[in-house]
């Protein structure tokens, strides 16, 4: 039995016939599942001869009518669709950069029975230390990486894919030790932040500009591989000088 057939049978058993009545003239969940598989097929990127990277974060946009009809089943469907997608990815030698997440959203321009899917690859992030509200008094800045927050304290942190990095990002475009965020305090107590390329394969961009060593501040967008990190300063400070 194929992935789609297996998914459809599980879904029909789960809601015992209510599915057929509720969705007779609307978007069928099995159609969404098939579209998710096409989405990963169309966005697969070669990692090696037998491994390809695919998106893992999906936003399914539907009409308000379809979204309302899906509402009673959305959690169960997302779980089953994720399982079906993971099974399909294993068969195709696809690699997800992190956990699969499926979100349902309303779109004003879509009529009943129509939908579309947006996707992106969102790398999983781990670190030796994470930022929470209890650290506000002792941490003046942090790094936001795919929703994961990591404190920026002197002397700084190293970001990369390898186990030696303080913040580890499961992104194949990220080197084992990709970038260093240097953190220092000036004599007048201002915060100084710099990001430096550690000889990575794919380099660094800050706010869209390729750099090797540059000062960053609140709101700076630092991209390595396909992952964009945001510098957040919780207390005003000044960045020092550096060469771009």
């Amino acid at each position: 039995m194929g992935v789609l057939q297996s998914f459809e049978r599980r879904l029909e058993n789960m809601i015992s016939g209510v599915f057929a009545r509720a969705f007779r003239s609307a978007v069928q969940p099995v159609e969404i599942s098939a579209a998710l598989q096409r989405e990963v097929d169309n966005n697969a990127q070669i990692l090696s001869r037998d491994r390809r990277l695919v998106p893992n974060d999906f936003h399914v946009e539907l009409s308000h009518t379809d979204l309302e009809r899906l509402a009673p089943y959305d959690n169960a469907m997302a779980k089953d669709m994720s399982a079906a997608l993971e099974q399909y990815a294993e068969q195709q030698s696809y690699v997800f950069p992190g956990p699969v997440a499926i979100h349902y959203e309303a779109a004003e321009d879509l009529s009943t029975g129509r939908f579309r899917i947006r996707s992106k690859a969102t790398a999983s992030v781990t670190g030796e230390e994470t930022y929470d509200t209890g650290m506000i008094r002792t941490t003046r800045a942090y790094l936001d990486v795919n929703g994961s927050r990591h404190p920026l304290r002197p002397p700084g942190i190293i970001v990369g894919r390898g186990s030696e990095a303080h913040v580890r990002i499961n992104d194949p475009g990220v080197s084992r030790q990709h970038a260093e965020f240097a953190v220092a305090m000036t004599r007048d107590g201002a915060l100084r932040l710099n990001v430096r390329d550690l000889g990575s394969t794919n380099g660094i961009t800050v706010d869209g500009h390729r750099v090797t060593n540059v000062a960053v501040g609140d709101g700076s967008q630092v991209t390595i591989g396909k992952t964009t990190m945001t510098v957040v300063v919780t207390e005003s400070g000044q960045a020092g000088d550096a060469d771009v």
Side-chain angles (χ1 to χ4, degrees), residues 7 11 22-23 25-26 30 41 44 55 58 67 70 77 90 125 143 146 164-165 171 177 181 186 190 208 217 228:
F7 163 77
L11 191 61
F23 293 96
S25 61
V30 70
D41 287 339
F58 303 91
L67 188 61
L70 279 170
M77 285 199 316
E90 184 176 358
V125 182
L143 195 63
N146 293 342
E164 306 89 350
D171 180 335
Q177 293 192 48
F181 286 83
T186 64
T228 297

Side-chain angles (χ1 to χ4, degrees), residues 11-71:
L11 191 61
E12 289 176 339
N13 290 339
M14 177 185 70
I15 55 183
S16 304
V18 177
F19 163 78
R21 293 192 298 273
F23 293 96
R24 186 175 295 119
S25 61
V27 171
Q28 302 290 331
V30 70
E31 294 178 292
I32 298 175
S33 188
L36 288 169
Q37 293 186 18
R38 290 194 298 272
E39 185 73 10
V40 297
D41 287 339
N42 293 337
N43 290 280
Q45 299 181 28
I46 296 174
L47 293 177
S48 63
R49 185 176 63 181
D50 55 358
R51 294 172 69 247
R52 286 175 287 178
L53 179 73
V54 294
N56 62 315
D57 188 8
F58 303 91
H59 292 258
V60 181
E61 297 182 345
L62 308 119
S63 69
H64 284 282
T65 301
D66 283 323
L67 188 61
E68 289 175 3
R69 289 175 176 172
L70 279 170

Side-chain angles (χ1 to χ4, degrees), residues 128-129 151-158 166 179-185 191-196:
E128 296 177 356
E129 189 176 26
L152 291 169
R153 294 173 173 159
I157 59 174
I158 292 175
H166 301 106
E180 179 183 27
F181 286 83
V183 183
M185 303 292 291
L191 188 65
R192 176 175 172 172
L193 303 171
N194 277 71
V195 63
R196 177 171 67 94

